[in-house]
Amino acid sequence: QVQLAESGGGWVQAGDSLRLSCAASGGAFGSYAMGWFRQAPGKEREFVAAIARDGRATYYAVSVKGRFIVSRDNARNTVSLQMNSLKAEDTAIYYCAAAARSVGTIFFVPRGSNEYGYWGQGTQVTVSS
């Protein structure tokens, strides 16, 4: 099993930047593709960004592409989400997740929540306009 813990959430103003981190333990971190999802009040959980297990491939939701950057440090068992030019609509609880399958191609970047098997408890990001 893999345990995940997000950190770095908080309150910021529109246009500001924020960096979220996710620390993993209990598994072979380098064997898992990792993803970020978010959920706003009254809305379904939505995909934000994902990164392949070796960090060579990434994928972003259209709503955040060009503003957010996902990265990982397999030596430190962490994945990060750098959020720039934040907007009020980015307000949500952000979750990091590890893919359900621990082994895949180096280009495996899942986007569906059902493709992830391990989830953190989330960190709140609030952006005021």
Side-chain angles (χ1 to χ4, degrees):
Q1 291 186 309
V2 177
Q3 291 81 49
L4 305 173
E6 304 93 339
S7 63
W11 176 89
V12 297
Q13 299 182 61
D16 285 355
S17 296
L18 197 63
R19 186 178 181 87
L20 305 182
S21 295
C22 177
S25 62
F29 181 73
S31 297
Y32 294 86
M34 298 292 295
W36 286 96
F37 291 78
R38 67 187 182 186
Q39 186 167 20
K43 298 182 66 177
E44 295 292 320
R45 181 172 55 191
E46 66 173 339
F47 170 79
V48 176
I51 185 167
R53 57 187 173 91
D54 69 348
R56 284 179 169 250
T58 58
Y59 197 88
Y60 299 90
V62 173
S63 60
V64 306
K65 189 174 179 61
R67 297 189 297 122
F68 291 10
I69 301 172
V70 62
S71 61
R72 66 190 297 162
D73 185 342
N74 287 353
R76 299 187 63 183
N77 287 2
T78 59
V79 60
S80 299
L81 184 68
Q82 177 66 45
M83 304 184 292
N84 301 314
S85 301
L86 283 163
K87 305 174 181 179
E89 50 262 47
D90 293 319
T91 296
I93 298 176
Y94 284 71
Y95 301 89
C96 67
R101 292 188 285 120
S102 61
V103 178
T105 72
I106 60 173
F107 304 109
F108 180 55
V109 189
R111 292 171 285 171
S113 61
N114 61 347
E115 297 182 274
Y116 291 84
Y118 306 94
W119 298 83
Q121 292 186 311
T123 185
Q124 177 70 48
V125 173
T126 302
V127 184
S128 62
S129 60

